[in-house]
Amino acid sequence: MKKVWIPYLGALALTIAACGPKVTNNNSSSAPETPTPPAVEASVKMAGMDQKIPMDPSVRMGKLSNGLTYYIQNNGKPEDKVELRLAINAGSIVEDDDQQGLAHMMEHMNFNGTTHFQKNDLIDYLQGIGVKFGADLNAYTSFDETVYILPIPSDDPEKLDKGFMILSDWAGGALLETEAINDERGVILEESRTGKGANDRMNKVTFPVLFANSRYAERLPIGKDEIIQNFNPDAIRRFQKDWYRPDLMAVIAVGDLDVETLEAKIKEHFGDIPAAEKPRKRDVFGIPNHEETLIAIAQDPEASFAQVRVQYKDSKEATPTTTVADLREELVNGLFSQMMNNRLQELTTKPNPPFIFGSSSYGGFGIRGKNAYSSFAGTAPDGQLKALETLLEENQRVKLFGFQKGEFNRAKTSYKSFYETFYKDRDKRESGRIVGSYVDQFLEGNTVPSVEYSYHTTMALMPNITLAEINAKMDSYLHDDNRSIVFTGPETKEVPTKEQILTILDEVANRKVTAYQDTKVRENLIENLPSVGTIAKTEVNDKLGTTTYTLSNGATVTTKKTEFKNDEVLMRAYSYGGASLFSDEDYMAVNQAMGGVTEGGVAGLDQTDMGKYMTGKLVSVSPRVGNISETFSGSATPDDMETMFQLVHLYFTDINKDKEAYQSFIDKQKSFLGSYLSRPESYFSNELSKMRYGSNPRYTGFPTPEMMDAADYDRAYELFKERFSDAGDFNFYLVGNIDETQIQDFAKKYIASLPSTGKKEMYKVDPWREDSKKPRKKVVKKGIEEKSTVQIIWSGEAIAYSSKEDMALDALGEIATIKIIETLREQEGGIYGGGARGSLSKISYPSYNFLISFPCGPDNVDKLVAAALNELELIKKNGPTDKDMNKVKEAYLLEHKENLESNGYWLNTLYTAGYEQKDPNKMLEFEAAVANLSNADVQAAANKYIDENYLLAVLLPEDK
């Protein structure tokens, strides 16, 4: 919760994140493809582009007499759950000079004493009903808004009422007691500490350029440490009075409950909040226009990755999407970006690519009221000027020659496929995926139409969008004013200069570039169809609803048909063996090369051709050679399942050998990983790995450029083909909207036809073991900032695997996390976040692992380590409290209830049961297993696995 989310130079979404009758949806599991109704098409044509987009009729909007806005929608997925949001139209941008950081701290204080909940009681109550702090219960503060997130059970009237009570307390019931404020200062400062480092230091250089001459450059949500340390409590009370008021608030409720009940709850809990008297004006802060090109170059010794951004801000203010014309404009911009990014992606597949990845798009960039066309690339540290030149040149190529018809048709096809899937799954959307659009509507003003309207209107608009108007877009995107260029990355011998950047701008603008050459690809993925195999045996598990087919070559295919999503099928597969069957010499030779084998494509199609062939197909297949198995993972729509099976077949039989594609992979890896260890946390992790695993003959360590250059592609290709030469011991699992007749047909045609030796391979168990039967300590000194990371690790070989003991060790991790937050954060104020996790593993040999980790100040390491260990000692001595056990059990059951309606959960559970040779029917006994888990079980697990033989690893800053 309240976590800092500042994806540097990405979207720049600068954020600190931190029962009545039920309506049942009886739609069928497979929504038919529906053509655009003539009425919709005629309406769009007759009313013209000025026609207002209608709000989704299933949402009830209203405004209370005090000015508070609300949005309510009944949605039955997941069952018995309502997603609540409280949106405040105020963030760090409205802070006074003496309040910098207090919008964010106000968010914290809403969890530290309110009208109905004393300090920590709120989190305690919610954990008691299965709502996890951080994972479920959450909040964030950004420049322009603060949003509180609360999922709550809807099948219990008391819990539902308490949920709305909490939301109303957040709306204005924070007590803001001086003692609680002073206690929270330390937590905020620790959160600030976690964000310090290379990105933070580079932000101080680049933000004044990205947000030039605006208040946004001065009001980062995390605020200033000196203000957090010293502000008068009246300053935060003033912030609450000014900005936490009904006319700046919206309550959003989406979930499995009728609209009337939810509306009544909103009126009951929010109707009596008084309207503000003489409310302070909520100013809108924009970004001024500028004539010159603004440039920022920021390098840092701890930066691990180099980036380039070219940004062309609009001179006009952005307006919300409210009309058909606005929707059409979004489609045009989206199609442009699709085609542009296809070209940039193609460049990354060439030898010595100009960047690791690149993208261009038009839209917002982290603040309200302004859009921009942005081109972005991740590069090698010394490749920023080349990346900039390439981005500009590709923009220039489009400006002079535009896109081609084939590119345009592929982009349209891709968009249509996306919208068709969106439409088919319209009755299967989770409430958590819906609620955000209403938060956005309140804060940004964008109309939220129904899925049906979006789909049919898009299908009506798409045929009339021309290639010429998309090609003309670049003339409005590119301009010399409001242009900014930002370089960030590791320190280099030759630092790029503003003069070099300006020279490249001028040269590319006057360069004679050539037109892009598009190529066609063949229509069939498999040109010579294989001989069809057969199904030798069919087994049905009525309890699980699964069917397992044993094919004529020995492979098995297990399926489960579900109705959770109309347009989704997920797939996983495994065969034992993997790299464990390589000789040590081969393992070391191919370790860095194996990931590049699939870069060459299949069946004579390279990555670019594969991308073109896959246009309109929502399908993916990823093969992998792991340590003890070779595997597949994939997904497809029901319409694209055959393509998924074809790709699986081709990875067995016809994978390309392409040294140029492989070298491109190696070049990108070297660019990406070259400075990775400059980041203190990464360096720490690597040093810890060397200590723990360095004596293993197969330990490779962190990949260096020299290791990647020395990797043996030829041998890797041979070994990949070897591992995928025998399909007879592969086990496939498919879950989703499956047609069993189709599955049987595809399995016979593409899997049963694969070669098989009739052997069932088994992996080799590595005889090496970590020396963990003694106390160990590793201190690593790396980094400029005064911050540390602590890990306390228990690990080793277990006597035997037990599912009950596995659950007990996991529960110990959950309980230890609760105690760490209570003690190290709330009592000591010494950490912002932290936790523990524990598990038992069965494969490849029984083993256990338990980890405690947290960041903190260097001066607090010893004290906090002792406090964390003390919490475990108390559990060993006394066992967990009934209260904490109940919290964990409630969370398990709540999560399991939702998981049972997830294709991903069923797939992973079935796959894991097969992979680890467990009884899959045991998943049906989960609730009983939770009920039978006792305090004594957790205490026994703690006493068995938590002892003095732990590894204490500490990252400290470098000596000054």
Coordinates of all heavy atoms in Angstrom, one line a residue, residues 691-724:
M691 N 27.8 -16.3 -3.1 CA 28.2 -17.0 -1.8 C 27.4 -18.3 -1.6 O 28.0 -19.3 -1.2 CB 27.8 -16.0 -0.7 CG 27.9 -16.6 0.7 SD 27.1 -15.6 2.0 CE 27.5 -16.6 3.4
R692 N 26.1 -18.3 -2.0 CA 25.3 -19.5 -1.8 C 25.5 -20.6 -2.8 O 25.5 -21.8 -2.4 CB 23.8 -19.1 -1.8 CG 23.4 -18.0 -0.8 CD 21.9 -17.8 -0.8 NE 21.1 -18.9 -0.5 CZ 19.8 -19.0 -0.6 NH1 19.1 -17.9 -1.0 NH2 19.1 -20.1 -0.2
Y693 N 25.7 -20.2 -4.0 CA 25.8 -21.3 -5.1 C 27.1 -21.4 -5.8 O 27.2 -22.2 -6.7 CB 24.6 -21.0 -6.1 CG 23.3 -20.7 -5.5 CD1 22.7 -19.5 -5.7 CD2 22.7 -21.7 -4.6 CE1 21.4 -19.3 -5.1 CE2 21.5 -21.4 -4.0 CZ 20.8 -20.2 -4.3 OH 19.6 -19.9 -3.7
G694 N 28.1 -20.6 -5.5 CA 29.3 -20.5 -6.2 C 30.1 -21.8 -6.3 O 30.9 -22.0 -7.2
S695 N 29.9 -22.7 -5.3 CA 30.7 -23.9 -5.3 C 30.0 -25.0 -6.2 O 30.6 -26.1 -6.3 CB 30.8 -24.4 -3.9 OG 29.6 -24.8 -3.3
N696 N 28.9 -24.7 -6.7 CA 28.2 -25.7 -7.6 C 28.9 -25.7 -9.0 O 29.2 -24.6 -9.6 CB 26.7 -25.3 -7.8 CG 25.9 -26.3 -8.6 OD1 26.5 -27.1 -9.4 ND2 24.6 -26.3 -8.3
P697 N 29.3 -26.8 -9.4 CA 30.1 -26.9 -10.7 C 29.3 -26.3 -11.9 O 29.9 -25.9 -12.9 CB 30.3 -28.4 -10.9 CG 30.2 -29.0 -9.6 CD 29.2 -28.2 -8.8
R698 N 28.0 -26.2 -11.7 CA 27.2 -25.6 -12.8 C 26.8 -24.1 -12.6 O 26.0 -23.6 -13.3 CB 25.9 -26.4 -13.0 CG 26.2 -27.8 -13.6 CD 24.9 -28.5 -14.1 NE 25.2 -29.6 -14.9 CZ 24.4 -30.1 -15.8 NH1 23.2 -29.6 -16.0 NH2 24.7 -31.2 -16.5
Y699 N 27.4 -23.6 -11.6 CA 27.1 -22.1 -11.3 C 27.8 -21.3 -12.4 O 29.0 -21.4 -12.6 CB 27.7 -21.7 -9.9 CG 27.4 -20.3 -9.6 CD1 26.2 -19.8 -9.3 CD2 28.5 -19.4 -9.6 CE1 26.0 -18.5 -9.0 CE2 28.3 -18.0 -9.3 CZ 27.0 -17.6 -9.0 OH 26.8 -16.3 -8.7
T700 N 27.0 -20.5 -13.0 CA 27.5 -19.6 -14.1 C 27.7 -18.2 -13.7 O 28.5 -17.5 -14.3 CB 26.5 -19.6 -15.3 OG1 25.3 -19.2 -14.9 CG2 26.4 -21.0 -15.9
G701 N 27.0 -17.8 -12.7 CA 27.2 -16.4 -12.2 C 26.4 -15.4 -13.2 O 25.8 -15.8 -14.1
F702 N 26.6 -14.2 -12.9 CA 25.9 -13.2 -13.7 C 26.5 -13.1 -15.1 O 27.7 -13.1 -15.2 CB 25.9 -11.8 -13.0 CG 25.0 -10.8 -13.7 CD1 23.7 -10.7 -13.4 CD2 25.6 -9.9 -14.6 CE1 22.9 -9.8 -14.0 CE2 24.8 -8.9 -15.2 CZ 23.4 -8.9 -14.9
P703 N 25.7 -13.1 -16.1 CA 26.2 -13.1 -17.5 C 27.0 -11.8 -17.8 O 26.5 -10.7 -17.7 CB 25.0 -13.2 -18.4 CG 23.9 -12.7 -17.5 CD 24.2 -13.1 -16.1
T704 N 28.2 -12.0 -18.2 CA 29.1 -10.9 -18.7 C 29.1 -10.8 -20.2 O 28.7 -11.8 -20.9 CB 30.5 -11.0 -18.2 OG1 31.1 -12.2 -18.8 CG2 30.6 -11.2 -16.7
P705 N 29.4 -9.7 -20.8 CA 29.5 -9.6 -22.3 C 30.5 -10.7 -22.8 O 30.2 -11.3 -23.9 CB 30.1 -8.2 -22.5 CG 29.6 -7.4 -21.3 CD 29.7 -8.4 -20.2
E706 N 31.5 -11.0 -22.1 CA 32.5 -12.0 -22.6 C 31.8 -13.4 -22.6 O 32.0 -14.2 -23.5 CB 33.7 -12.0 -21.7 CG 34.6 -10.8 -21.8 CD 34.0 -9.6 -21.0 OE1 33.1 -9.8 -20.2 OE2 34.4 -8.5 -21.4
M707 N 31.0 -13.7 -21.5 CA 30.3 -15.0 -21.5 C 29.3 -15.1 -22.6 O 29.2 -16.2 -23.2 CB 29.6 -15.1 -20.1 CG 30.6 -15.3 -18.9 SD 29.7 -15.0 -17.4 CE 28.5 -16.4 -17.4
M708 N 28.6 -14.0 -22.9 CA 27.6 -14.1 -24.0 C 28.3 -14.2 -25.3 O 27.7 -14.9 -26.2 CB 26.7 -12.8 -23.9 CG 25.7 -12.9 -22.7 SD 24.6 -11.4 -22.6 CE 25.7 -10.3 -21.7
D709 N 29.4 -13.6 -25.5 CA 30.1 -13.7 -26.8 C 30.6 -15.1 -27.0 O 30.7 -15.7 -28.1 CB 31.3 -12.7 -26.9 CG 30.8 -11.3 -27.2 OD1 29.7 -11.1 -27.7 OD2 31.6 -10.4 -26.8
A710 N 31.0 -15.8 -25.9 CA 31.6 -17.1 -25.9 C 30.5 -18.2 -26.0 O 30.8 -19.4 -26.2 CB 32.5 -17.3 -24.7
A711 N 29.3 -17.9 -25.8 CA 28.2 -18.9 -25.8 C 28.1 -19.6 -27.2 O 28.3 -19.0 -28.2 CB 26.9 -18.2 -25.4
D712 N 27.8 -20.9 -27.1 CA 27.9 -21.7 -28.3 C 26.5 -21.9 -28.9 O 25.7 -22.7 -28.4 CB 28.5 -23.1 -28.0 CG 28.8 -23.9 -29.2 OD1 28.2 -23.7 -30.2 OD2 29.6 -24.9 -29.0
Y713 N 26.1 -21.1 -29.9 CA 24.8 -21.1 -30.5 C 24.6 -22.4 -31.2 O 23.5 -23.0 -31.1 CB 24.6 -20.0 -31.5 CG 23.4 -20.0 -32.3 CD1 22.1 -20.1 -31.7 CD2 23.5 -20.0 -33.7 CE1 21.0 -20.2 -32.5 CE2 22.3 -20.0 -34.5 CZ 21.1 -20.1 -33.9 OH 19.9 -20.2 -34.7
D714 N 25.6 -22.9 -31.9 CA 25.4 -24.1 -32.7 C 25.1 -25.3 -31.8 O 24.2 -26.1 -32.1 CB 26.7 -24.5 -33.5 CG 27.0 -23.5 -34.6 OD1 26.0 -22.9 -35.1 OD2 28.1 -23.3 -35.0
R715 N 25.8 -25.4 -30.7 CA 25.5 -26.5 -29.7 C 24.1 -26.3 -29.0 O 23.4 -27.3 -28.8 CB 26.6 -26.6 -28.7 CG 26.5 -27.8 -27.8 CD 26.5 -29.1 -28.5 NE 26.4 -30.2 -27.6 CZ 25.8 -31.4 -27.9 NH1 25.3 -31.5 -29.1 NH2 25.8 -32.4 -27.1
A716 N 23.8 -25.0 -28.7 CA 22.5 -24.8 -28.1 C 21.4 -25.2 -29.0 O 20.4 -25.8 -28.6 CB 22.4 -23.3 -27.8
Y717 N 21.5 -24.9 -30.3 CA 20.5 -25.2 -31.3 C 20.3 -26.8 -31.4 O 19.2 -27.3 -31.4 CB 20.9 -24.7 -32.7 CG 19.9 -25.0 -33.8 CD1 18.7 -24.3 -33.9 CD2 20.1 -26.1 -34.7 CE1 17.8 -24.6 -35.0 CE2 19.3 -26.4 -35.7 CZ 18.1 -25.6 -35.8 OH 17.2 -25.9 -36.8
E718 N 21.5 -27.5 -31.4 CA 21.4 -28.9 -31.4 C 20.7 -29.5 -30.2 O 19.9 -30.4 -30.3 CB 22.9 -29.5 -31.5 CG 23.6 -29.2 -32.8 CD 25.0 -29.7 -32.7 OE1 25.5 -30.2 -31.7 OE2 25.8 -29.4 -33.7
L719 N 21.1 -29.0 -29.0 CA 20.5 -29.5 -27.8 C 19.0 -29.1 -27.6 O 18.2 -29.9 -27.1 CB 21.3 -28.9 -26.6 CG 22.7 -29.5 -26.4 CD1 23.5 -28.8 -25.3 CD2 22.6 -31.0 -26.0
F720 N 18.6 -28.0 -28.1 CA 17.2 -27.6 -28.1 C 16.5 -28.6 -29.0 O 15.4 -29.1 -28.5 CB 17.0 -26.2 -28.7 CG 15.6 -25.7 -28.7 CD1 15.1 -24.9 -27.6 CD2 14.7 -26.0 -29.7 CE1 13.8 -24.5 -27.6 CE2 13.4 -25.6 -29.7 CZ 13.0 -24.8 -28.6
K721 N 17.0 -28.9 -30.2 CA 16.3 -29.8 -31.0 C 16.2 -31.2 -30.4 O 15.2 -32.0 -30.5 CB 17.0 -29.9 -32.4 CG 16.8 -28.6 -33.3 CD 17.2 -28.9 -34.7 CE 16.3 -29.8 -35.4 NZ 16.5 -29.9 -36.8
E722 N 17.3 -31.6 -29.7 CA 17.3 -32.9 -29.0 C 16.3 -33.0 -27.9 O 15.6 -34.0 -27.8 CB 18.7 -33.1 -28.4 CG 18.9 -34.4 -27.6 CD 20.2 -34.4 -26.9 OE1 21.2 -34.4 -27.6 OE2 20.3 -34.5 -25.7
R723 N 16.1 -31.9 -27.2 CA 15.2 -31.9 -26.1 C 13.7 -31.9 -26.6 O 12.8 -32.4 -25.9 CB 15.4 -30.7 -25.1 CG 16.7 -30.7 -24.3 CD 17.1 -32.0 -23.7 NE 16.0 -32.6 -23.0 CZ 15.9 -34.0 -22.9 NH1 16.8 -34.8 -23.5 NH2 15.0 -34.5 -22.2
F724 N 13.5 -31.4 -27.8 CA 12.2 -31.4 -28.4 C 12.1 -32.4 -29.6 O 11.3 -32.1 -30.5 CB 11.8 -30.0 -28.8 CG 11.5 -29.0 -27.7 CD1 12.5 -28.2 -27.2 CD2 10.3 -29.0 -27.1 CE1 12.3 -27.4 -26.1 CE2 10.0 -28.1 -26.1 CZ 11.0 -27.3 -25.5

